Amino acid sequence: MIWIINGLVYGFFTALYTLVNQRYKFNGYLLGIWRGFGISFFFMPFLFFLPVPTSAYYYFLLIFQGFLIGVYDSHLFFASADYGAGPTSRVMALSALITTVFWWILTPHLFLDLLHNGTVFMSIILVLFGFTVSYWQMVQSPVSKALVLYMFPVIFAFAGMSIITKEIAMHGSNAWQGVAYYLVIATFVSGTYNTFWYIKTVKPGFKGFFRNVFAWKLVKVGLYVVSFSWALITSKTLALRIAPNPGYVIALLLTSPIFVFVLNKYSKVPDNISVKAGFSMIFFLLLLLLLVNGNYGVVD
């Protein structure tokens, strides 16, 4: 049940994450620079209190994860600014199904065990399908073809991030090491990725780069993003570490529009979310949690 709690925390902080650039509309690479380097520098001292990994494969996972984070962050920030948080998050709903299928492909022996129990397997497929349809009905913002094309590679990048996060967490000697090295190395690589593309696309020059990165308005928003992004990454890593399938954690992530709705209502911001579809999604979510955590033989 701990992975469920962490998955819901992940959904809450993702709601905050998605809303940031809908309001401020900064260059997505600039926010990616702050998120990447800000988290990395803040948590770097913690590495002195943890064992140093010796596996080259582990470092490869962290570096490749950082690259995927860079792709995901910049695209999400740009899309939120240009199309809005609602349509952007709606497109990302496809990640739950894609992540689940990817994990089944990578763990064929566990998948075959699950497949032999046809009733449970088909029930999981039906629940995931119902969950995704409810999500699409809940977030009623229109989705343009341009947004789908722009976010399509991000959907697969996000699925890869979720699977690699589980691998990183499982290969760490303990939960502390898995989280800390993710927060330092992977985010540093993502910051480097966003720095490269910002310089390449904007060409601000040496002085212009530092002037833009440390503009006071961006500093305030950047610190805000860093302040909750570490919680987002930590809860995601802990959830994926013990969940049987990373796709189930991504399903929990899709509760973020509910948190957005509550926060918007509190702030008196209009929100076109369908409450009925939201309750329908929660119903399918409860069924998924019952299937996965019940004694039904779900091992993958």
Side-chain angles (χ1 to χ4, degrees):
M1 291 292 289
I2 294 179
W3 71 269
I4 297 173
I5 296 172
N6 282 299
L8 292 173
V9 173
Y10 179 27
F12 172 75
F13 283 108
T14 298
L16 298 180
Y17 179 74
T18 308
L19 285 169
V20 168
N21 219 29
Q22 176 181 263
R23 176 180 177 183
Y24 293 102
K25 302 186 185 305
F26 285 116
N27 181 290
Y29 295 129
L30 282 176
L31 279 179
I33 290 170
W34 265 96
R35 184 175 186 263
F37 289 136
I39 297 173
S40 181
F41 291 155
F42 182 81
F43 285 93
M44 196 170 292
F46 290 88
L47 298 190
F48 293 103
F49 303 97
L50 295 168
V52 179
T54 56
S55 170
Y57 175 65
Y58 186 66
Y59 285 107
F60 167 77
L61 289 175
L62 289 168
I63 293 171
F64 187 53
Q65 179 77 334
F67 169 77
L68 293 179
I69 293 172
V71 174
Y72 173 76
D73 281 354
S74 57
H75 275 70
L76 193 69
F77 286 136
F78 277 120
S80 295
D82 294 338
Y83 301 98
T88 300
S89 60
R90 186 180 180 188
V91 171
M92 293 304 295
L94 296 173
S95 296
L97 292 175
I98 293 174
T99 304
T100 302
V101 173
F102 275 7
W103 183 254
W104 281 339
I105 293 172
L106 293 172
T107 57
H109 58 294
L110 294 176
F111 174 69
L112 290 175
D113 290 340
L114 180 62
L115 193 61
H116 287 154
N117 193 341
T119 302
V120 174
F121 176 74
M122 286 186 283
S123 298
I124 289 177
I125 295 297
L126 289 172
V127 167
L128 287 173
F129 179 74
F131 186 89
T132 304
V133 170
S134 298
Y135 178 90
W136 276 66
Q137 291 297 318
M138 182 182 66
V139 186
Q140 296 176 340
S141 306
V143 177
S144 68
K145 183 178 179 181
L147 173 60
V148 173
L149 291 175
Y150 183 72
M151 294 299 291
F152 195 71
V154 185
I155 294 171
F156 287 91
F158 187 59
M161 284 168 56
S162 303
I163 292 171
I164 293 173
T165 299
K166 185 172 179 64
E167 283 286 294
I168 290 171
M170 293 174 64
H171 277 78
S173 59
N174 54 56
W176 291 104
Q177 186 189 65
V179 170
Y181 274 85
Y182 187 120
L183 288 171
V184 175
I185 296 180
T187 57
F188 184 87
V189 173
S190 73
T192 304
Y193 171 92
N194 282 287
T195 299
F196 172 80
W197 282 106
Y198 180 71
I199 294 174
K200 184 176 178 64
T201 55
V202 178
K203 297 179 173 60
F206 185 80
K207 291 184 179 179
F209 173 79
F210 287 97
R211 183 174 59 250
N212 294 342
V213 169
F214 293 102
W216 179 236
K217 187 176 180 180
L218 179 63
V219 170
K220 291 190 293 185
V221 177
L223 291 174
Y224 172 68
V225 170
V226 170
S227 69
F228 64 75
S229 288
W230 71 266
L232 184 156
I233 293 173
T234 301
S235 58
K236 175 180 70 172
T237 304
L238 294 176
L240 289 168
R241 180 181 177 89
I242 55 179
N245 187 314
Y248 305 154
V249 176
I250 304 307
L252 288 171
L253 167 66
L254 299 182
T255 59
S256 59
I258 298 174
F259 294 116
V260 171
F261 173 76
V262 173
L263 292 170
N264 279 340
K265 192 173 183 64
Y266 175 78
S267 303
K268 298 181 180 180
V269 176
D271 198 322
N272 64 345
I273 191 172
S274 168
V275 178
K276 291 182 179 179
F279 280 112
S280 174
M281 188 181 75
I282 292 174
F283 169 72
F284 282 108
L285 175 62
L286 292 174
L287 291 181
L288 175 64
L289 302 182
L290 180 64
L291 276 171
V292 175
N293 290 278
N295 190 23
Y296 303 110
V298 178
V299 294
D300 196 28

